[in-house]
Amino acid sequence: MSNLNAASLYENLQQPISQYYDKSSNLTREEYFYKLSISTTLYLGNLSIYTTEEQIFELFNRVGAGVRRLIMGRNKETGKAIGFCFIEYFNHEDAKEAHEYLDLLKLDERAIRVDWDIGYSEGREYGRGTGGNQVRDSYRKVADPERPNVQQNRGRGRSYNNNGGRRKQADEDESDNSGGGYKKRAGNRSNNNY
Amino acid sequence: MLQIQHQTPPEINRIRQLICRAGDEGADTFKKDLQKIVDVLGEYYQQNKQEVKDAMIQSFIQCAKLLPLKSGIYATILALLSTKQITQSLTDQIILGLLEHLPQIAQEETPILGQTILKFLSELMNVGLLNTVSFVECLYDLEGGAENEQSPFYLQILLTTIPHAMIKAMEKNQIEFKNIIQNVEVLMTKRKTEDRLFHLWQSIRNFLNNQEKDAHTQIFQQFLKTSYPRPYLLFPDEMTQVRQLRRGFKIPIVKRTQIWRPQQILVLNDEIRSQNNNKTDIQIEITRQWIYETIDLFKTNRQQIVFQFQLYQNCIKLSPSQEAQFRQTLIFTLLNMVIEVIPRKDQLSTAFYSGLLIHLSQRNSDNIKEWNETIEQFIDLMPQNNILIIEQLSDCLSHYFCNSNFKLNWDKFFGKYNPDETDSINNYLVIMIFRKLFLLVSVDKITDLVPKNIIDWYNQLQDITKPLDIEQISLAEKINSYLQQKLNGIEMLEQLKLITNPNPDIVIQTFLECLLQCISKSITHLNVLSKRYLSFLLQPNIIKPEKLGEIMLQTIFRMWNHSVFHLKVYLKEFLNLEVISNLQIINWLSDIIKQKSDNFKIYNVLIAINDVFRKQTKLDQVQDCTYENVKEINTILSKMIEQEQDIIIQSSLENIQLQILIAFKSTNGSQSEKLLKEIKSTQIKQIIMSF
């Protein structure tokens, strides 16, 4: 099929593929963003720690040929879900569709962030922050009962500028407690006890 | 491709931006903005630099091709430029450049390129840059192409061009134009389907009939009212000075082998339509065509697609009733695309449509009540004989509801449920919507937002997160203890062999039930445990593969017949592991239907199978994709369809048949041609050949 892509006319107005560059990937920026441009993997962030794999799968499996693999982010010490995951599709086009049309929409009453990822490799499912959680939870200004409860520990750990974290700008929006009055679920189901 | 790049000279980038973004500033300064663009482009052209002229020509060509909302804008700019003598050759070269693209039309899979180019050429005719006689000759070319092609590819281009060209053509070349209309009438009577072509044609015909009756062109005036698509109306004096090109051109018609199918419109939103007169409104159809084009052209970028819809709403000064009509057309078109379940090559996922619907509704938050009411209207008019439509629609609505802050007219949706009618399709719709909704958002989070009666009703339904109970309890306890010990496949096999039971199949069956219970904990459990244990069961001398597949499918049905989600996930996983095959699935389906299980259980299985087979079209490895197997599957399905009395089940079986044949075609083209020859139904052949 020819280039029937009108959106490309407005390319100069488009956002870069991702604001996030993972320095621990050991890739140069060029290599990193090239991998993103052909990636079939998405990073989902701002998930509730109570959101189940089935919930994520139910929504994201509606795209294209469906989800190839889902890897939940976990605390290395406790094995519990820490509010992110990787979704792998069979091709880049399906991943792009999910990225374009599911980003910033709600799942389990939280606006989820859908970002490109270079691809899962062993170890990337663990949080790199305090106590095995995500770094961003260490810097949380507002308590969020749907995220890991981390002791605020300013001054330690890696410092991030505005571009360092995955859309850190949105932190204030992320403690989305809409639908208040819900009960905390007793424990979560994502653990490594297979 | 037209790109704004940093290495490109700034003036080239400026030209590209000016042309690409013409009209984006809005309706209030529209006339002034256009005049400014004309002045700037005129000055650039006067510099007489070849690269500047080339940039201008290429920009117009690309934008005319890809931005159908702005065809009139570009035609107006070129018309205004032509009044400056120095730029006369510009339009000439743009038209030549576009004509060079025309042979590409035949290579395309959809007629969109042809539609947008012809629309632009018709606007050039409307502004007086193109000779009406030669343009009408183009329509004859298209009509000739339409007569000679099996699929309505050229017919679609012709029909979408007519509304934009008809007023000028009627004015300047009435006899020839009427001749074309008569020929199209003949072509359309040969077609029997009520798809988007049919409704477009109806609206054109009604408009022309009314126009003849209303000699004072009141309808014309109404049709021409909005200035954004026809900005030349804002420059009446200048248009009289436009210099017409005496150029004739021909649309190259090439014989195509690829089939193109127009979208179905299952639910109409035309308020003028009545059962007696069967009229349609042309403005609705033009808007609908534009919506299809915009989605196709901008689908890779959500921000841009939303921007285009906002541009339409902001720049075309709609009266309140026109705004309501646009909103209704937009929502109805999107939802019609959602419920088009007969396979299409260009079909987008329900996540695309629900995501787009949500983003658009968020930008129409002032009218969200009307937005939701329109969705309710659509559901009321939805066809009641197809569970796949229910599946697609419930996908879309559940996602939309999740993002709606739950400010919905709950009675409208839940009110369709009738506890006295156990098997009704409306009940199935309600169950599907709420099951999917409460999978996407936990019930306990929204108890304050959803009416209590709905929560209570939902809690009484079979919990779709839990399987049904295992029958052999004591045997299961033993097996579960082995599973808890995390034995590997070989160790598990040794333990199972030690279990004495008069019926060895019961041991395997109970083991599978216990396994299914374990893997239901999460997707990760499924991936890990199924690979760990099912692979050893496939080894020779343990159990025959056919037997394993049979027991597996029976067990899945017994434990998960209430959950479409789990049926889909497990069928796909076990197909990938080659524990079950497509043929076994079809035989299993046949048994379930013969056993006259509860309708809703059958529906769940049908939906799951359709989904799994549909997704096989994009996988590299299609399980048991041999000619003999697929032929057998096709034979079984054909027989089931023939014998099935229930039209709901029958339509789902037909879809499943299509999905497996399409999957076969995409992986084994030459063998599939052999199979196609044996299929009697022309419609099925056409659908498969369109892939």
Side-chain angles (χ1 to χ4, degrees), chain B residues 46-58:
Chain B
Q46 271 184 313
Q47 290 174 7
N48 213 20
K49 291 183 194 170
Q50 196 53 47
E51 56 181 12
V52 168
K53 287 182 185 176
D54 289 344
M56 227 181 275
I57 292 164
Q58 285 310 310

Side-chain angles (χ1 to χ4, degrees), chain A residues 80-94:
Chain A
K80 292 192 175 179
I82 51 175
F84 77 93
C85 74
F86 297 105
I87 294 236
E88 199 179 290
Y89 283 96
F90 288 95
N91 56 65
H92 179 74
E93 289 67 35
D94 287 352

